[in-house]
Amino acid sequence: MKNRVPVCASLLFALSAQSAFGADLAVATSTSDKTEYKAEDFAQFAPRTALDIVRRIPGFSIDSGDSGSRGFGQASGNILINGQRVSGKSNDAQSVLGRISTINVDKIEVLDGTALGIPGLSGQVVNVTTKESTGMSGTWKWKVRSRENLRPTYNDFGMTLSGQRGALSWAIEAESDPERGASAGPERVTDGAANVIEMRKEDFTHQAENASIAGSLAWNPAGGSVANLSAEFSTYQPDDKEVSKLFPIGGVVGRRLFQGSEDETNAEIGGDYEFGFGPGRLKTIALVRRENSPSVDHVLRGNLDGSGVSESVFEQTVEEGEYILRSEYAWVPSEGRDWQVSLEGAFNYLDAEAALFRSTGGAPLVELALTNANSRVEEQRGELSVTHGRVLAPNLNLQVSLGMEMSELSQSGDAENVRTFTRPKGFASLSWQVDPTLQLVARLDRDVGQLDFFDFVSSVNLNQGNGSQGNSEIVPEQAWKLSVTAEKDFKDWGAASLTVFGSDIEDIADRIPIGTGDGPGNIDSAWRVGVDLDATLKFAKLGLSGTELTFGGEWRDSRVEDPLTGVERPINGSTIYYLDAELRRDIPQTDWAVGLYLESYNGNPEYTLNERFHSGNQPPFSNIYVEHKALLGMTGKLVVGNILDQHDWLRRDTYDPNRLGALVRSESRTRHFGPIFTFELHGTF
């Protein structure tokens, strides 16, 4: 059952002062509304974890925040656990929700982020409160998947275990999530006059082992202090293989083999400690993240008569690291007002080593010069911000934040450069509770984007036969973003959230000419607009009890002046639209459910100095499923995927000497990957 109860507009202090597990929220005078759920409200879905519950909240979509964001900064995402943000990046809020068994969920609240007073939060925010427990509980899952041209996977599984003893609670998770993909189809190569010069038959396979172990500790002694510690270690080992049969028009039949592999390891540890200090509370957050990624790409080509033999190898080893220390001090809210000051320091680095080897005619491999491929990039950054929230009226809340960022970017190795920047940042968020079922949120942001350190170093794409020139002069982009969100509760009919936004971007990172080649670089200005919609429509009022439609969609448009042609075009490779929809029916008085799922995406082309590259898939990806929610105490689910026979397509145009010149070559292909069969089991203990 859904209940609406009053909460305090300055809920920040009440939330952040509680334990990370099992605390009660302090509630004071009402200035805004919240929607409260119990786990039993979602019984029709037989949820096993808090993640299963939150995914079913009407009109709500989980945002764990951007794991690639600039440090911690102010709160991002829209999930709180017992009133606190999660002190992790790859080990994010969604991961933590997946470790909380349903039996340990006390309540789930949908709150006004602006009214919470937590800097950075606005719009709908979900707070999951857990029960105090003296025992242990856990969840498990197992999945087998089968598809054309690949062996079935049997090692897709995961297990969580959690418990509590006094003021200390803990959770641990181990997971294996293998990836398998395969597609095959024809490719046609034409010259600038559209004459076919070569036909190809291609088979592509992707196999990856992906495993992780993660855990968390929370400590909430009687004195009111709160401490949290989380850690994760993961490995990712992809292997890609593409076999091409080549049929040149009037030429010798040939073969081409591409193989790419990586052996990536990631480790992250984060924690926070909060306690009363003077007239407020002090919170310190720390995080350390390390990644090591050696990779090898190999291309071998030759004709069946033994001629035209060539071989290329690109080896790269990348080490990345991130260290963050952040402190936040919040004064005790009074008279509908709250203040917070925060200070953050961060150190990021990327250390890359690479080598390119080639040979022809069966000769030994010879190393080729590769400029700016062996380099170390570092950023030292400091940020200071002050945030103020206040109640303007019983149904109107304002939050304003002003900050300043100072950073130093340095690069050594093949390219040496040192630069310093000082940039303002901040936001203003205004939420208006129009009535108990409608809330409007307007927000203005001044953002400083996160650099991709790979943009600083050169790389080679052997499979596409091109590369990217590193750019030691690239700088973080900045943007003004204005958004308006409407959140509507349609009661028994469901709920929806609609956001409209526009961004004015400075120094956007795109593709630019560099020397005789090209690579990532900055363009003075660009703009982007978009619409996001999340909605749930229930059909019980139409006599279809247990039936609902969930929809999530986004649409984008953008413009930037192409640095080569001077003509406006969309931002390189940007999204045009993405949508997913699920129609589910939980059959009344039974333990059975059936459903249909659709997903579709379309993006803009990518432009390099002498190429236009566009890829996608059609029709929408789709699956149907049948689920039994009490299969010997477990949940069993059978999924038949790709029932509409989605295929991938690609078009690649090459110009000489660049895109201002004539079209000299085009490649177009279509690859099918067939049906996918999946059987899943989920359980608790």
Side-chain angles (χ1 to χ4, degrees):
M1 174 166 182
K2 189 195 294 187
N3 301 308
R4 291 194 173 274
V5 293
V7 296
C8 174
S10 301
L11 199 54
L12 161 67
F13 184 75
L15 288 173
S16 61
Q18 306 307 314
S19 163
F21 286 87
D24 294 325
L25 296 179
V27 177
T29 7
S30 169
T31 54
S32 63
D33 286 348
K34 71 176 179 181
T35 304
E36 182 177 307
Y37 297 96
K38 293 293 186 179
E40 50 266 30
D41 295 329
F42 301 87
Q44 76 177 77
F45 305 111
R48 300 289 178 172
T49 67
L51 180 60
D52 297 334
I53 294 175
V54 174
R55 281 174 170 167
R56 291 294 175 182
I57 294 175
F60 181 79
S61 179
I62 296 175
D63 177 8
S64 291
D66 184 3
S67 61
S69 61
R70 201 163 175 78
F72 270 126
Q74 293 166 327
S76 60
N78 56 7
I79 299 294
L80 300 174
I81 311 295
N82 293 304
Q84 293 195 330
R85 63 188 293 199
V86 175
S87 301
K89 299 191 83 172
S90 57
N91 188 24
D92 59 13
Q94 185 162 302
S95 301
V96 175
L97 287 175
R99 296 181 206 132
I100 302 174
S101 176
T102 305
I103 62 175
N104 291 329
V105 175
D106 179 37
K107 59 185 176 181
I108 306 99
E109 297 163 306
V110 182
L111 307 165
D112 172 15
T114 303
L116 296 181
I118 300 177
L121 290 184
S122 63
Q124 286 186 333
V125 174
V126 164
N127 177 56
V128 176
T129 305
T130 58
K131 299 175 182 177
E132 291 188 8
S133 173
T134 56
M136 289 192 300
S137 62
T139 67
W140 63 270
K141 59 183 179 180
W142 176 75
K143 181 189 300 183
V144 58
R145 176 176 294 181
S146 177
R147 60 184 300 166
E148 291 182 358
N149 304 318
L150 288 172
R151 293 180 179 178
T153 57
Y154 300 102
N155 61 327
D156 192 331
F157 62 86
M159 180 178 291
T160 70
L161 187 65
S162 61
Q164 184 173 352
R165 184 171 183 178
L168 185 66
S169 55
W170 56 273
I172 190 169
E173 177 183 25
E175 184 175 25
S176 172
D177 185 18
E179 299 174 1
R180 299 292 186 269
S183 61
E187 179 169 314
R188 186 177 67 170
V189 183
T190 60
D191 61 19
N195 300 308
V196 177
I197 58 176
E198 184 173 87
M199 295 296 298
R200 301 172 179 173
K201 292 182 179 180
E202 299 187 329
D203 287 273
F204 173 80
T205 58
H206 167 78
Q207 301 186 67
E209 300 305 320
N210 188 15
S212 64
I213 183 168
S216 59
L217 289 172
W219 181 56
N220 180 33
S225 298
V226 180
N228 296 283
L229 180 67
S230 64
E232 180 182 47
F233 177 80
S234 64
T235 63
Y236 182 62
Q237 298 172 319
D239 287 289
D240 294 335
K241 182 179 180 180
E242 184 179 271
V243 179
S244 302
K245 298 178 180 179
L246 313 176
F247 303 95
I249 304 302
V252 181
V253 176
R255 296 290 185 267
R256 180 182 182 274
L257 171 66
F258 166 78
Q259 292 176 296
S261 64
E262 187 177 358
D263 188 10
E264 178 182 309
T265 57
N266 292 275
E268 177 181 297
I269 182 168
D272 60 74
Y273 180 59
E274 181 180 340
F275 59 95
F277 184 76
R281 293 182 67 83
L282 179 64
K283 183 175 185 177
T284 299
I285 309 171
L287 179 137
V288 176
R289 182 184 65 85
R290 297 289 298 272
E291 177 181 327
N292 180 263
S293 306
S295 62
V296 179
D297 288 351
H298 180 213
V299 171
L300 180 63
R301 177 168 180 160
N303 298 326
L304 295 186
D305 65 0
S307 64
V309 176
S310 65
E311 185 178 9
S312 300
V313 177
F314 178 65
E315 299 176 347
Q316 185 179 54
T317 298
V318 175
E319 291 186 4
E320 297 178 77
E322 182 174 26
Y323 303 83
I324 307 172
L325 181 62
R326 179 179 178 87
S327 291
E328 302 172 344
Y329 187 78
W331 281 263
V332 175
S334 63
E335 300 179 353
R337 303 177 183 180
D338 57 70
W339 289 88
Q340 185 192 79
V341 60
S342 62
L343 179 65
E344 177 173 306
F347 173 71
N348 296 65
Y349 76 88
L350 179 145
D351 204 336
E353 295 182 359
L356 176 64
F357 303 89
R358 282 184 181 156
S359 76
T360 57
L365 288 167
V366 176
E367 185 172 359
L368 304 181
L370 191 59
T371 60
N372 202 14
N374 299 281
S375 192
R376 181 180 175 90
V377 184
E378 296 182 355
E379 181 185 36
Q380 301 179 67
R381 182 179 57 82
E383 175 188 307
L384 175 67
S385 63
V386 178
T387 304
H388 174 56
R390 64 168 55 200
V391 179
L392 301 179
N395 60 347
L396 197 64
N397 295 280
L398 174 69
Q399 188 179 98
V400 178
S401 179
L402 297 176
M404 186 67 68
E405 174 183 298
M406 295 142 285
S407 64
E408 179 183 271
L409 276 169
S410 61
Q411 185 171 3
S412 57
D414 289 350
E416 296 189 2
N417 200 6
V418 178
R419 295 164 296 156
T420 58
F421 305 96
T422 301
R423 288 175 170 166
K425 59 195 307 184
F427 69 90
S429 178
L430 182 67
S431 68
W432 176 28
Q433 192 74 41
V434 181
D435 60 45
T437 67
L438 176 62
Q439 183 181 69
L440 300 178
V441 180
R443 179 172 172 129
L444 178 65
D445 287 90
R446 175 63 174 180
D447 289 331
V448 179
Q450 174 62 37
L451 285 168
D452 184 347
F453 283 0
F454 282 93
D455 292 346
F456 287 76
V457 298
S458 299
S459 63
V460 175
N461 188 326
L462 288 186
N463 200 25
Q464 291 187 15
N466 56 24
S468 177
Q469 180 68 39
N471 186 356
S472 62
E473 296 294 334
I474 196 168
V475 301
E477 62 184 50
Q478 303 174 85
W480 286 102
K481 179 180 177 180
L482 177 63
S483 64
V484 178
T485 301
E487 297 159 357
K488 177 67 176 178
D489 186 350
F490 295 103
K491 300 293 185 178
D492 294 334
W493 289 98
S497 175
L498 176 69
T499 299
V500 180
F501 75 87
S503 297
D504 182 20
I505 310 169
E506 303 170 28
D507 292 327
I508 186 169
D510 204 283
R511 194 86 174 191
I512 68 170
I514 302 175
T516 59
D518 72 324
N522 296 110
I523 302 176
D524 289 343
S525 63
W527 58 262
R528 180 189 290 116
V529 296
V531 178
D532 295 334
L533 173 64
D534 290 291
T536 302
L537 179 61
K538 298 178 179 290
F539 295 93
K541 287 287 189 178
L542 299 177
L544 296 172
S545 180
T547 305
E548 68 176 45
L549 174 68
T550 58
F551 175 85
E554 61 182 49
W555 170 84
R556 303 285 186 266
D557 192 17
S558 62
R559 289 293 180 273
V560 65
E561 184 179 292
D562 189 292
L564 177 67
T565 66
V567 177
E568 283 196 341
R569 58 165 172 79
I571 295 172
N572 224 345
S574 56
T575 296
I576 297 175
Y577 69 79
Y578 171 82
L579 62 88
D580 63 80
E582 180 188 22
L583 179 63
R584 178 183 172 103
R585 176 164 173 77
D586 291 88
I587 303 172
Q589 285 80 53
T590 76
D591 293 316
W592 292 93
V594 293
L596 168 68
Y597 175 80
L598 295 173
E599 181 182 44
S600 185
Y601 169 82
N602 191 18
N604 286 300
E606 299 178 31
Y607 299 88
T608 65
L609 181 66
N610 65 339
E611 290 185 353
R612 179 185 184 273
F613 183 92
H614 199 193
S615 63
N617 46 64
Q618 61 184 28
F621 182 82
S622 54
N623 65 49
I624 56 174
Y625 64 84
V626 58
E627 180 177 293
H628 194 287
K629 295 171 280 189
L631 185 65
L632 301 176
M634 303 173 288
T635 297
K637 187 175 183 180
L638 177 64
V639 184
V640 181
N642 198 28
I643 60 175
L644 295 181
D645 192 26
Q646 183 185 82
H647 61 271
D648 300 330
W649 60 267
L650 176 146
R651 170 76 183 221
R652 180 185 180 193
D653 296 327
T654 304
Y655 301 83
D656 186 40
N658 53 45
R659 284 186 289 110
L660 292 174
L663 175 68
V664 295
R665 181 184 177 94
S666 293
E667 301 171 30
S668 59
R669 74 178 183 216
T670 300
R671 292 180 179 175
H672 293 263
F673 51 91
I676 304 170
F677 300 92
T678 306
F679 179 67
E680 306 174 28
L681 288 175
H682 298 258
T684 57
F685 58 89

